[in-house]
Short mmCIF file of all heavy atoms in Angstrom, two decimals:
data_model
loop_
_atom_site.label_atom_id
_atom_site.label_comp_id
_atom_site.label_asym_id
_atom_site.label_seq_id
_atom_site.Cartn_x
_atom_site.Cartn_y
_atom_site.Cartn_z
N HIS A 34 -23.27 -108.54 180.36
CA HIS A 34 -24.62 -108.82 179.88
C HIS A 34 -24.62 -109.23 178.41
O HIS A 34 -23.77 -108.81 177.63
CB HIS A 34 -25.50 -107.58 180.04
CG HIS A 34 -25.90 -107.31 181.46
ND1 HIS A 34 -25.02 -107.35 182.51
CD2 HIS A 34 -27.10 -106.98 182.01
CE1 HIS A 34 -25.64 -107.06 183.64
NE2 HIS A 34 -26.92 -106.83 183.35
N TYR A 35 -25.60 -110.06 178.04
CA TYR A 35 -25.85 -110.33 176.62
C TYR A 35 -26.61 -109.15 176.04
O TYR A 35 -27.29 -108.42 176.76
CB TYR A 35 -26.66 -111.61 176.45
CG TYR A 35 -25.91 -112.87 176.84
CD1 TYR A 35 -26.57 -114.10 176.88
CD2 TYR A 35 -24.57 -112.86 177.17
CE1 TYR A 35 -25.91 -115.27 177.22
CE2 TYR A 35 -23.90 -114.01 177.51
CZ TYR A 35 -24.58 -115.22 177.55
OH TYR A 35 -23.91 -116.36 177.89
N GLU A 36 -26.50 -108.96 174.73
CA GLU A 36 -27.11 -107.78 174.11
C GLU A 36 -27.85 -108.13 172.82
O GLU A 36 -27.36 -108.89 171.99
CB GLU A 36 -26.03 -106.74 173.79
CG GLU A 36 -26.56 -105.48 173.13
CD GLU A 36 -25.50 -104.39 172.98
OE1 GLU A 36 -24.48 -104.44 173.70
OE2 GLU A 36 -25.70 -103.49 172.15
N ILE A 37 -29.06 -107.58 172.71
CA ILE A 37 -29.83 -107.62 171.46
C ILE A 37 -29.93 -106.19 170.97
O ILE A 37 -30.43 -105.31 171.67
CB ILE A 37 -31.24 -108.20 171.68
CG1 ILE A 37 -31.15 -109.62 172.24
CG2 ILE A 37 -32.03 -108.18 170.38
CD1 ILE A 37 -32.50 -110.19 172.67
N TYR A 38 -29.44 -105.95 169.76
CA TYR A 38 -29.38 -104.60 169.19
C TYR A 38 -30.16 -104.61 167.89
O TYR A 38 -29.87 -105.40 166.98
CB TYR A 38 -27.91 -104.24 168.96
CG TYR A 38 -27.63 -102.97 168.18
CD1 TYR A 38 -27.16 -101.83 168.82
CD2 TYR A 38 -27.80 -102.93 166.79
CE1 TYR A 38 -26.87 -100.68 168.09
CE2 TYR A 38 -27.52 -101.78 166.07
CZ TYR A 38 -27.06 -100.66 166.72
OH TYR A 38 -26.77 -99.52 166.01
N TYR A 39 -31.17 -103.73 167.77
CA TYR A 39 -31.96 -103.63 166.55
C TYR A 39 -31.74 -102.27 165.92
O TYR A 39 -31.89 -101.24 166.58
CB TYR A 39 -33.44 -103.83 166.83
CG TYR A 39 -34.29 -103.74 165.57
CD1 TYR A 39 -34.33 -104.80 164.67
CD2 TYR A 39 -35.04 -102.60 165.29
CE1 TYR A 39 -35.09 -104.72 163.51
CE2 TYR A 39 -35.80 -102.52 164.14
CZ TYR A 39 -35.82 -103.58 163.25
OH TYR A 39 -36.56 -103.49 162.10
N PHE A 40 -31.38 -102.26 164.64
CA PHE A 40 -31.07 -101.03 163.92
C PHE A 40 -32.30 -100.59 163.12
O PHE A 40 -32.71 -101.25 162.17
CB PHE A 40 -29.88 -101.28 162.98
CG PHE A 40 -29.37 -100.05 162.29
CD1 PHE A 40 -28.89 -98.96 163.02
CD2 PHE A 40 -29.34 -99.98 160.91
CE1 PHE A 40 -28.40 -97.83 162.38
CE2 PHE A 40 -28.85 -98.86 160.26
CZ PHE A 40 -28.38 -97.78 160.99
N HIS A 41 -32.89 -99.44 163.54
CA HIS A 41 -34.08 -98.92 162.88
C HIS A 41 -33.75 -98.09 161.64
O HIS A 41 -34.38 -98.25 160.59
CB HIS A 41 -34.89 -98.04 163.85
CG HIS A 41 -35.49 -98.78 165.00
ND1 HIS A 41 -36.75 -99.37 164.94
CD2 HIS A 41 -35.03 -99.02 166.25
CE1 HIS A 41 -37.02 -99.93 166.10
NE2 HIS A 41 -35.99 -99.74 166.91
N ALA A 42 -32.81 -97.14 161.79
CA ALA A 42 -32.55 -96.21 160.69
C ALA A 42 -31.19 -95.55 160.87
O ALA A 42 -30.69 -95.42 161.99
CB ALA A 42 -33.64 -95.13 160.63
N GLY A 43 -30.62 -95.12 159.74
CA GLY A 43 -29.35 -94.40 159.77
C GLY A 43 -28.30 -95.06 158.90
O GLY A 43 -28.60 -95.93 158.08
N VAL A 44 -27.07 -94.65 159.11
CA VAL A 44 -25.91 -95.23 158.44
C VAL A 44 -24.91 -95.57 159.52
O VAL A 44 -24.46 -94.69 160.27
CB VAL A 44 -25.29 -94.25 157.42
CG1 VAL A 44 -24.03 -94.84 156.81
CG2 VAL A 44 -26.29 -93.87 156.34
N CYS A 45 -24.55 -96.83 159.65
CA CYS A 45 -23.70 -97.24 160.77
C CYS A 45 -22.90 -98.49 160.42
O CYS A 45 -23.43 -99.43 159.83
CB CYS A 45 -24.56 -97.50 162.01
SG CYS A 45 -23.63 -97.98 163.48
N THR A 46 -21.63 -98.47 160.77
CA THR A 46 -20.79 -99.67 160.76
C THR A 46 -20.63 -100.12 162.21
O THR A 46 -20.39 -99.30 163.09
CB THR A 46 -19.40 -99.38 160.17
OG1 THR A 46 -19.54 -98.95 158.82
CG2 THR A 46 -18.53 -100.63 160.21
N TYR A 47 -20.80 -101.40 162.46
CA TYR A 47 -20.68 -101.92 163.82
C TYR A 47 -19.52 -102.91 163.88
O TYR A 47 -19.43 -103.83 163.06
CB TYR A 47 -21.97 -102.61 164.27
CG TYR A 47 -22.21 -102.50 165.76
CD1 TYR A 47 -23.20 -101.66 166.26
CD2 TYR A 47 -21.41 -103.20 166.66
CE1 TYR A 47 -23.40 -101.54 167.63
CE2 TYR A 47 -21.60 -103.08 168.02
CZ TYR A 47 -22.61 -102.24 168.50
OH TYR A 47 -22.79 -102.11 169.87
N ILE A 48 -18.63 -102.69 164.85
CA ILE A 48 -17.46 -103.55 165.04
C ILE A 48 -17.71 -104.45 166.24
O ILE A 48 -18.00 -103.97 167.33
CB ILE A 48 -16.18 -102.72 165.30
CG1 ILE A 48 -16.06 -101.58 164.28
CG2 ILE A 48 -14.95 -103.63 165.27
CD1 ILE A 48 -15.99 -102.02 162.86
N ILE A 49 -17.59 -105.76 166.04
CA ILE A 49 -17.71 -106.72 167.14
C ILE A 49 -16.50 -107.64 167.07
O ILE A 49 -16.38 -108.47 166.17
CB ILE A 49 -18.99 -107.56 167.04
CG1 ILE A 49 -20.23 -106.67 166.88
CG2 ILE A 49 -19.14 -108.44 168.29
CD1 ILE A 49 -21.51 -107.45 166.67
N GLY A 50 -15.58 -107.47 168.01
CA GLY A 50 -14.36 -108.27 168.00
C GLY A 50 -13.60 -108.06 166.71
O GLY A 50 -13.21 -106.94 166.39
N ASP A 51 -13.42 -109.12 165.95
CA ASP A 51 -12.67 -109.02 164.70
C ASP A 51 -13.60 -108.96 163.49
O ASP A 51 -13.19 -109.24 162.37
CB ASP A 51 -11.70 -110.19 164.55
CG ASP A 51 -12.41 -111.53 164.50
OD1 ASP A 51 -13.60 -111.58 164.88
OD2 ASP A 51 -11.79 -112.51 164.06
N ARG A 52 -14.86 -108.57 163.69
CA ARG A 52 -15.84 -108.51 162.60
C ARG A 52 -16.40 -107.09 162.47
O ARG A 52 -16.60 -106.40 163.47
CB ARG A 52 -17.01 -109.46 162.85
CG ARG A 52 -16.59 -110.89 163.10
CD ARG A 52 -16.12 -111.56 161.84
NE ARG A 52 -15.43 -112.82 162.13
CZ ARG A 52 -14.89 -113.58 161.21
NH1 ARG A 52 -14.94 -113.24 159.95
NH2 ARG A 52 -14.27 -114.70 161.54
N SER A 53 -16.66 -106.68 161.24
CA SER A 53 -17.32 -105.39 161.02
C SER A 53 -18.57 -105.62 160.18
O SER A 53 -18.56 -106.44 159.25
CB SER A 53 -16.38 -104.40 160.32
OG SER A 53 -16.16 -104.77 158.99
N TYR A 54 -19.64 -104.91 160.50
CA TYR A 54 -20.92 -105.05 159.82
C TYR A 54 -21.39 -103.68 159.36
O TYR A 54 -21.50 -102.75 160.16
CB TYR A 54 -21.97 -105.64 160.76
CG TYR A 54 -21.63 -107.00 161.32
CD1 TYR A 54 -20.97 -107.12 162.56
CD2 TYR A 54 -21.97 -108.16 160.65
CE1 TYR A 54 -20.66 -108.36 163.08
CE2 TYR A 54 -21.67 -109.42 161.17
CZ TYR A 54 -21.01 -109.51 162.38
OH TYR A 54 -20.70 -110.74 162.89
N ASP A 55 -21.67 -103.56 158.06
CA ASP A 55 -22.32 -102.36 157.55
C ASP A 55 -23.82 -102.57 157.70
O ASP A 55 -24.43 -103.35 156.96
CB ASP A 55 -21.95 -102.14 156.07
CG ASP A 55 -20.47 -101.82 155.90
OD1 ASP A 55 -19.90 -101.18 156.80
OD2 ASP A 55 -19.90 -102.21 154.87
N LEU A 56 -24.41 -101.90 158.68
CA LEU A 56 -25.79 -102.17 159.04
C LEU A 56 -26.78 -101.59 158.06
O LEU A 56 -26.56 -100.54 157.46
CB LEU A 56 -26.07 -101.62 160.44
CG LEU A 56 -25.26 -102.22 161.59
CD1 LEU A 56 -25.71 -101.62 162.92
CD2 LEU A 56 -25.39 -103.73 161.63
N ARG A 57 -27.92 -102.29 157.93
CA ARG A 57 -29.06 -101.81 157.17
C ARG A 57 -30.27 -101.83 158.09
O ARG A 57 -30.35 -102.68 159.00
CB ARG A 57 -29.31 -102.72 155.96
CG ARG A 57 -28.17 -102.77 154.96
CD ARG A 57 -28.51 -103.66 153.78
NE ARG A 57 -28.69 -105.04 154.19
CZ ARG A 57 -27.71 -105.94 154.24
NH1 ARG A 57 -26.47 -105.57 153.93
NH2 ARG A 57 -27.95 -107.18 154.59
N PRO A 58 -31.23 -100.92 157.90
CA PRO A 58 -32.44 -100.97 158.73
C PRO A 58 -33.07 -102.36 158.69
O PRO A 58 -33.21 -102.96 157.63
CB PRO A 58 -33.35 -99.92 158.08
CG PRO A 58 -32.39 -98.93 157.48
CD PRO A 58 -31.24 -99.77 156.97
N GLY A 59 -33.41 -102.85 159.87
CA GLY A 59 -33.94 -104.20 159.96
C GLY A 59 -32.92 -105.23 160.38
O GLY A 59 -33.25 -106.41 160.53
N ASP A 60 -31.67 -104.81 160.61
CA ASP A 60 -30.64 -105.73 161.09
C ASP A 60 -30.73 -105.90 162.60
O ASP A 60 -30.94 -104.93 163.34
CB ASP A 60 -29.24 -105.22 160.73
CG ASP A 60 -28.88 -105.50 159.27
OD1 ASP A 60 -29.66 -106.18 158.59
OD2 ASP A 60 -27.81 -105.04 158.83
N VAL A 61 -30.56 -107.13 163.04
CA VAL A 61 -30.50 -107.46 164.46
C VAL A 61 -29.11 -108.01 164.76
O VAL A 61 -28.65 -108.93 164.09
CB VAL A 61 -31.56 -108.51 164.86
CG1 VAL A 61 -31.48 -108.79 166.37
CG2 VAL A 61 -32.95 -108.06 164.47
#
Side-chain angles (χ1 to χ4, degrees):
H34 286 46
Y35 292 173
E36 179 173 340
I37 301 172
Y38 171 106
Y39 181 76
F40 186 60
H41 293 272
V44 176
C45 181
T46 299
Y47 211 107
I48 312 300
I49 308 175
D51 62 343
R52 306 287 167 182
S53 71
Y54 301 92
D55 293 327
L56 298 183
R57 298 181 296 270
D60 281 354
V61 182

